[in-house]
Every structure is written in structure tokens, then in C-alpha cells.
Amino acid sequence: MNVLRDLSELRDMPINGLLRRWHDLYGDQPPSRNRDYLVKRLSYRIQELAHGGLSEKASARLDELADATSDDGREIRINRRQSALPVVGTRLIREWNGEAHEVTVIENGLEYRG
């Protein structure tokens, strides 16, 4: 599979060609016949097959977000505070009012002045 060639061919492919390519890659009919949609989704699928899909971490995050939707479709906020922290051992140093303040990222959060 030549990924670059396959991707470039999609741009000029007629809609019937895109529909055939969709069936070849997905095994069914697309949910939309919109040209831009087909090209984007086919481009992703071609790259996915050539280079692999989402990482386990990304897939787990998507599952988490999908589970965080209420019955009426509204998004529920997810607290990602811990996972959004820098790597353990990182030192954050700031000066305020002429005094240096140092915070260290530790296993369970942050450490400031012990």
C-alpha cells in the first residue's frame, strides 16, 4: 500500500470511486455521500491501516469522554486535574514580590514548602 499515492488519488476521484473505495475499506456503505466527508474519512482509514490506529491511551480517553455524556447529549465535565500535571519531579519556579517560589510535582499532587 502506497499511502501517499492513495491519499493523493482521493482528491480527484469521482464520487462513485469514493463510494467503491469506502466499501473496499469499511465493508459497508458510508453514512453520508458528502465528498469532503468521504475524502477525510477515507484518508484517515488509509493511514490507520498503514500505520496503526489510535493508541490505547487515546482510545481510553475517547471512551471516557463518550461515557461522560448525559442522556440528553450534554457533556459532563471530567476532572483531569491529576493527569494534566507535568511529569513527576518537575520543578515550577516563579518569582513573586521579590521572593522565589518553588513547587515540585510529586506522585500524588504538588509539593510547596514541604
Side-chain angles (χ1 to χ4, degrees), residues 91-103 112:
R91 292 178 26 214
L92 306 168
I93 303 170
R94 298 292 183 268
E95 186 177 316
W96 188 70
N97 285 343
E99 183 181 351
H101 296 270
E102 182 176 320
V103 175
Y112 176 68

Side-chain angles (χ1 to χ4, degrees), residues 36-87:
D36 288 339
Y37 174 83
L38 293 171
V39 170
K40 287 176 187 176
R41 295 295 300 143
L42 287 169
S43 296
Y44 179 86
R45 184 69 174 148
I46 288 167
Q47 293 174 81
E48 179 183 40
L49 292 172
H51 303 294
L54 293 172
S55 67
E56 285 186 31
K57 183 178 178 180
S59 185
R61 177 65 177 144
L62 288 175
D63 288 341
E64 180 184 1
L65 290 171
D67 291 342
T69 303
S70 65
D71 291 338
D72 62 0
R74 290 182 297 150
E75 184 180 336
I76 299 170
R77 279 208 170 271
I78 298 172
N79 184 357
R80 293 197 58 203
R81 186 174 178 187
Q82 284 296 100
S83 62
L85 290 175
V87 178

Side-chain angles (χ1 to χ4, degrees), residues 11-52:
R11 282 183 278 149
D12 300 322
M13 194 176 286
I15 195 78
N16 287 336
L18 293 171
L19 294 172
R20 279 193 302 277
R21 190 76 166 120
W22 183 283
H23 190 269
D24 293 345
L25 294 175
Y26 287 101
D28 59 5
Q29 295 302 311
S32 170
R33 293 176 58 97
N34 178 282
R35 179 176 185 68
D36 288 339
Y37 174 83
L38 293 171
V39 170
K40 287 176 187 176
R41 295 295 300 143
L42 287 169
S43 296
Y44 179 86
R45 184 69 174 148
I46 288 167
Q47 293 174 81
E48 179 183 40
L49 292 172
H51 303 294

